Amino acid sequence: EYMGIGLASAAIGLERGQLGEHLDRLIPPILKCFADQESRVRYYACESLYNVCKVCRGECLVYFNDLFDGLCKLFADVDVEVKNGAQYLDRLIKDIVTECPTLDVGAFIPLLSQRIRVLNPYVRHLLLSWISVLDSVPGV
C-alpha cells in the first residue's frame, strides 16, 4: 500500500518538466493497485494517482483510457472510501481535460461505447458526466 504513496511522493519531488519522462514508471504501477483486494490499497492508489496527475497535469492524458478504465472500476467499488477517492480523482481529471483539451477523443469513444453497457448506476453516472464534460469543451 505504501508503494503508491512513495511513487506519488517521487512525482511531487520532481519538477514539472522532468515528470513527463517518468510517467511510464509512475502511473501503470499505481493503476495496478486499483485491482488490489485490500480497500485501503485501492484508496491509497486513488490518492497517489491524484497527486501524480495534479503535478503532471496534461501530460497524464497519454494514459487517459487507462485512467478512465480505472475510474470505472473504482466507481463500482463496494467500499465508500474508495468511491470518494475516485470522485476526487475524477474531478481532477475532468479539470485537466477542460484546461488542456489534448485528449484523443477518437481513442476514447470505443472505451466509452464499451462501458455504456454497464448496469452499475455509479458507473453510468460517471459516463454521463464525462459525456457532458466533453460536450462542453470547445474543439473536442
Side-chain angles (χ1 to χ4, degrees):
E1 71 191 75
Y2 299 106
M3 178 191 68
I5 295 171
L7 290 171
S9 297
I12 291 168
L14 289 169
E15 291 183 29
R16 191 176 227 162
Q18 298 172 324
L19 187 58
E21 61 193 67
H22 300 288
L23 286 180
D24 60 333
R25 288 182 233 136
L26 293 169
I27 292 179
I30 296 172
L31 287 171
K32 284 183 183 178
C33 292
F34 284 0
D36 197 277
Q37 290 184 346
E38 279 288 323
S39 61
R40 242 182 17 211
V41 173
R42 294 190 306 275
Y43 174 79
Y44 287 132
C46 276
E47 190 175 290
S48 298
L49 195 54
Y50 178 92
N51 289 325
V52 169
C53 292
K54 187 175 178 181
V55 173
C56 71
R57 305 303 290 183
E59 291 176 287
C60 72
L61 294 181
V62 172
Y63 292 93
F64 180 77
N65 278 9
D66 295 325
L67 295 170
F68 185 80
D69 189 49
L71 283 171
C72 286
K73 291 173 186 167
L74 296 174
F75 265 67
D77 202 287
V78 294
D79 188 271
V80 174
E81 292 293 321
V82 173
K83 282 182 187 175
N84 288 340
Q87 289 174 355
Y88 284 115
L89 178 60
D90 177 54
R91 282 192 288 265
L92 175 65
I93 303 289
K94 285 175 179 162
D95 287 346
I96 292 169
V97 166
T98 56
E99 73 187 24
C100 45
T102 58
L103 177 66
D104 182 0
V105 177
F108 174 58
I109 295 299
L111 179 60
L112 182 64
S113 299
Q114 181 185 22
R115 292 288 183 255
I116 205 86
R117 292 176 176 79
V118 173
L119 298 178
N120 183 295
Y122 298 106
V123 176
R124 292 197 126 188
H125 184 274
L126 173 72
L127 296 169
L128 291 173
S129 70
W130 269 100
I131 291 169
S132 177
V133 165
L134 292 174
D135 187 48
S136 72
V137 176
V140 172

